[in-house]
Amino acid sequence: MTVRVRFAPSPTGMFHVGGARSALQNWIYAKQQGGVFVLRIEDTDAARNKPEWTEGILSALDWIGISRGSYEGPYFQSENAGEHRAAATRLYESGRAYYCDCTREDVQARTGSQYQGYDGYHRDRGLGPGPGHALRFRTPDEGTTVVVDLIRGEPTFENKLIEDFVIARGDGSPVFLLANVVDDMTMGITHVIRAEEHLPNTPKQQLLWDALGVKPPIWAHVPVVVNEKRQKLSKRRDKVALEAYRDEGYLAGAMRNYLMLLGWAPSGDREIVPWSVIEDEFRLEEVNPSPAFFDEKKLRAFNGEYIRALPVAEFVDACQPWLTGTGTIAPPPWQPDEFDADAFAAVAPLAQTRIAVLSEIVPNVDFLFLATPLIDEAAWTKTMKDGSGELLDDAVAAFEVLESWDAESLKSTLEAVGAERGLKLGKTQAPVRVAVTGRTVGLPLFESLEVLGRDRTLTRMRAARLRLP
């Protein structure tokens, strides 16, 4: 039997990091088993679906390494509507489903406010199809439904506690439960690897598989992803869009690595590992069913490690979207003709050790490409104390006559300027840094001054001096 797994997102918004994790788990499992990964776009919610969301799904999958052309699909659920309706008809004609015209208010009035489900009122009343008649599945009165789950064992559900659920609406359109089952049957899906939130629907879907005469797939419900308060990640409350992390400058490799650790870990006392190790070692059976904490701080630390591991040339290439404002990245504060590729290449190794996401490259190097630095007024107020003006005067005078404009000479010269005032280097260089870069923190100062050059450095220091008494 060829293993066939599927990833079936809905194009109704940005690509959720939890969905990205499920996609990767399906992808790896299919690869390990020599199977097939199927992409199915569940687009039957026409009111909420947008073509750009579908393209967003495909682009996000590309980014995390599930590239177009390497999987089967994408298929679109809406294209299988005929099969959905045919399955509903078969279930009705075989007596496994019946029509019901009860409204929600009808059920409420008949059963009372505490009743949590439909009471089977129309089971044996012989109502036929018609406008406003929903089709309900006839759940067995006795016995249990056992779900074979690679992660959770064999959850068992009493059939008598499962209401006669709707499988087609009053307008004849099948609901998600039935459409999902029919699609999986049509596509020959053997394993369904998906989020834990779908587990309550699984016994209903398994009953549908049985009623349609097809062996159900093997299930694997991966743990829910939660925030620091142990609440399920929410689009309204949490930062969950994969595209947002991509555009902030997280590397695909770091994101892949981190997502795979949500509920699973490689062997040994390690977390940052090559993707080939994850592909070899990942086992669905080893996934922890407990909720998985999405720790953005930890992801950020991961990303910093991945950035530092890049060869410098690759780091320079990776920064280009933020330096040029390409694609979905906002343009930098400088004009295109102000950017100096050689200057950036000179400071790139310094910046690479100091940033955790690629978007941080802009505030670290903007002083190199702007005619005047962007002054952080809070930093100015904090740094430019009494005596800062005179210190800048002395530093300008010393830098003007400096024979060699290099980092070591700049450092020793400013150190001497500070020593004459009884100041250590840290106190001495702070006003110079703010005058030249506009900030109190950033790349190593003297290497930055070397790249910036004598004329621009002195011009900025003199301009800063004019602002001081």
Side-chain angles (χ1 to χ4, degrees), residues 331-411:
W334 55 80
Q335 296 300 313
D337 60 355
E338 294 180 303
F339 179 70
D340 184 335
D342 291 336
F344 178 69
V347 300
L350 306 175
Q352 186 175 1
T353 64
R354 286 166 169 77
I355 65 174
V357 292
L358 293 175
S359 59
E360 292 175 346
I361 196 62
V362 172
N364 271 277
V365 302
D366 59 5
F367 72 95
L368 285 173
F369 312 123
L370 295 169
T372 58
L374 298 172
I375 301 295
D376 179 342
E377 294 299 333
W380 178 278
T381 301
K382 179 180 179 180
T383 304
M384 298 304 192
K385 305 292 186 180
D386 291 342
S388 293
E390 291 77 10
L391 189 152
L392 286 176
D393 286 335
D394 293 347
V396 167
F399 285 171
E400 282 178 326
V401 298
L402 195 61
E403 290 186 8
S404 179
W405 191 263
D406 61 77
E408 198 58 44
S409 298
L410 288 162
K411 179 181 178 182

Side-chain angles (χ1 to χ4, degrees), residues 461-469:
M461 291 174 68
R462 292 185 183 113
R465 178 65 182 93
L466 293 176
R467 288 187 58 178
L468 295 171

Side-chain angles (χ1 to χ4, degrees), residues 441-468:
V441 295
L443 304 185
L445 176 62
F446 303 108
E447 287 81 354
S448 298
L449 299 185
E450 179 180 339
V451 175
L452 187 65
R454 186 193 305 264
D455 291 344
R456 296 175 73 191
T457 297
L458 294 177
T459 296
R460 293 182 182 190
M461 291 174 68
R462 292 185 183 113
R465 178 65 182 93
L466 293 176
R467 288 187 58 178
L468 295 171

Side-chain angles (χ1 to χ4, degrees), residues 92 97-100 120-129 133 138:
Y92 171 65
Y98 61 92
Y99 283 98
C100 168
Y121 179 76
H122 275 287
R123 263 194 167 210
D124 301 306
R125 293 180 180 268
L127 186 67
H133 295 186
R138 190 186 298 272

Side-chain angles (χ1 to χ4, degrees), residues 227-301:
N227 62 19
E228 59 185 4
K229 295 181 180 179
R230 298 306 187 265
Q231 301 166 321
K232 179 185 171 184
L233 285 186
S234 164
K235 290 183 178 181
R236 293 189 180 93
R237 182 185 56 238
D238 303 304
K239 181 179 174 183
V240 300
L242 190 71
E243 297 94 328
Y245 288 99
R246 178 193 64 194
D247 293 351
E248 191 176 336
Y250 285 83
L251 298 179
M255 180 60 77
R256 275 200 310 264
N257 189 161
Y258 183 71
L259 289 176
M260 288 302 296
L261 298 182
L262 297 178
W264 175 82
S267 62
D269 186 19
R270 55 182 180 164
E271 293 184 309
I272 296 178
V273 294
W275 184 244
S276 59
V277 171
I278 294 176
E279 287 187 321
D280 287 342
E281 294 192 2
F282 176 71
R283 296 292 182 271
L284 269 177
E285 299 85 353
E286 296 175 359
V287 172
N288 189 325
S290 301
F293 172 33
F294 187 89
D295 186 345
E296 191 175 343
K297 292 180 181 178
K298 185 173 182 178
L299 171 60
R300 180 181 170 84

